[in-house]
Amino acid sequence: MRRHHDDEVPEDEIHKHDRGLSYDLPVLARRRMIRLMAGVGAGLVPLVGCSADDTSSPSASAAGSAGSASSAECVTVPEETAGPYPGDGSNGVNVLKESGVVRGDITRSFGDSAGGTAEGVPLTFTLTVVDAASGCGTPKRGAAVYVWHCDREGGYSLYTEGVADENYLRGVQETDERGEVTFTSVFPGCYPGRWPHIHFEVYGSLADATTATAITSTSQLALPKDVCDTVYATQGYESSVDNLDRLSLESDSVFRDGHDQQLAVVKGSVTEGYTATLTIAV
């Protein structure tokens, strides 16, 4: 059941990505050690990850484009939890095996579901998958990306009461020759305990994705605060305002150990809609 932001969440219902710092510290420590050892083994210390090159965004100042990043700048996207609502068969329903899941516009439900449409400020986001072993210089053509995120009220299709019969805001695409996939969606809301984000899984091929096997990488895209503030001031996102005020990227249970490889470059406006870009090294 969807909860108001003032509701208390019982301990036994808190998902592991919301349990707090004491729970996450061992996980974060292991993740940092893995990254450090990977850098030592390669004879270098990674400095910054791959993300879309755009000097107009604060997140772009520390990143290069896929075509220009050197191996010293190329860091594999951090592995993150898929959360409790993946819809990939690992926690209940498997939407990946349903006809119609391969699509670019994920605003509407498909198949035998209720046929609803997610409302909200338009968001088109492009993910570029590159080969980390090449120094982020080689696009991963023919890979596949499955994305999912909450609606503007913070609910997840297939799971949350009221939208459990829907499957909108979920979709899969195969990367093109540039390693890109582009999805048409709506700006996600901010629910209690989590920074605004979009989940994604990278697969080696579309066949792997649609059989939900051999996941290459599972991670999350973070959205910039200034854009979130602007969007959440519009009608329909009222509950997101207070939820976001209680959070920061540095306090979020997923992004607080570093978000350089996960913070999207976002442009646009409420009236015209927004575009977001992120390069994913795998």
Side-chain angles (χ1 to χ4, degrees):
M1 179 179 295
R2 187 178 309 152
R3 296 180 174 86
H4 188 270
H5 60 267
D6 287 330
D7 290 346
E8 293 291 328
V9 182
E11 174 65 18
D12 60 356
E13 292 185 20
I14 298 177
H15 188 261
K16 61 185 176 183
H17 69 210
D18 288 330
R19 286 184 182 272
L21 184 59
S22 62
Y23 180 88
D24 290 326
L25 275 176
V27 177
L28 303 184
R30 286 197 299 271
R31 184 186 301 165
R32 290 192 183 97
M33 181 59 68
I34 291 170
R35 292 181 189 172
L36 177 61
M37 295 306 295
V40 172
L44 52 89
V45 177
L47 300 177
V48 65
C50 304
S51 65
D53 188 16
D54 186 330
T55 56
S56 67
S57 168
S59 64
S61 62
S65 66
S68 62
S70 70
S71 59
E73 297 173 323
C74 182
V75 178
T76 303
V77 67
E79 286 290 310
E80 307 289 9
T81 176
Y85 313 119
D88 62 0
S90 62
N91 185 23
V93 65
N94 189 345
V95 74
L96 293 172
K97 294 185 177 181
E98 295 185 15
S99 176
V101 72
V102 181
R103 59 193 185 141
D105 187 340
I106 61 175
T107 57
R108 297 185 178 185
S109 290
F110 62 90
D112 296 329
S113 62
T117 300
E119 302 294 335
V121 173
L123 173 67
T124 298
F125 58 97
T126 297
L127 305 178
T128 303
V129 184
V130 296
D131 181 18
S134 72
C136 291
T138 302
K140 297 280 284 186
R141 179 180 183 179
V145 184
Y146 167 46
V147 300
W148 72 98
H149 64 81
C150 71
D151 59 24
R152 69 179 177 183
E153 287 84 22
Y156 281 87
S157 67
L158 302 176
Y159 294 91
T160 303
E161 182 178 359
V163 295
D165 291 331
E166 306 288 353
N167 56 23
Y168 56 47
L169 306 183
R170 299 176 184 274
V172 180
Q173 284 194 76
E174 183 179 43
T175 57
D176 61 18
E177 65 275 4
R178 297 181 298 275
E180 294 181 356
V181 290
T182 297
F183 293 92
T184 300
S185 191
V186 296
F187 205 93
C190 178
Y191 55 85
R194 279 306 319 278
W195 188 262
H197 61 283
I198 296 173
H199 293 268
F200 60 86
E201 291 175 344
V202 180
Y203 292 80
S205 68
L206 189 60
D208 285 345
T210 53
T211 54
T213 58
I215 299 173
T216 300
S217 180
T218 302
S219 195
Q220 300 179 27
L221 172 155
L223 293 162
K225 185 180 188 305
D226 57 344
V227 179
C228 292
D229 285 336
T230 300
V231 172
Y232 295 162
T234 65
Q235 185 176 4
Y237 288 94
E238 290 82 2
S239 64
S240 294
V241 176
D242 287 343
N243 292 334
L244 187 66
D245 283 345
R246 296 188 176 99
L247 296 166
S248 69
L249 279 163
E250 289 70 30
S251 67
D252 181 73
S253 59
V254 169
F255 299 124
R256 65 183 164 208
D257 66 328
H259 48 264
D260 290 344
Q261 290 83 54
Q262 296 161 285
L263 185 60
V265 174
V266 181
K267 296 181 178 180
S269 66
V270 168
T271 54
E272 299 296 326
Y274 289 91
T275 62
T277 56
L278 182 71
T279 297
I280 305 164
V282 298

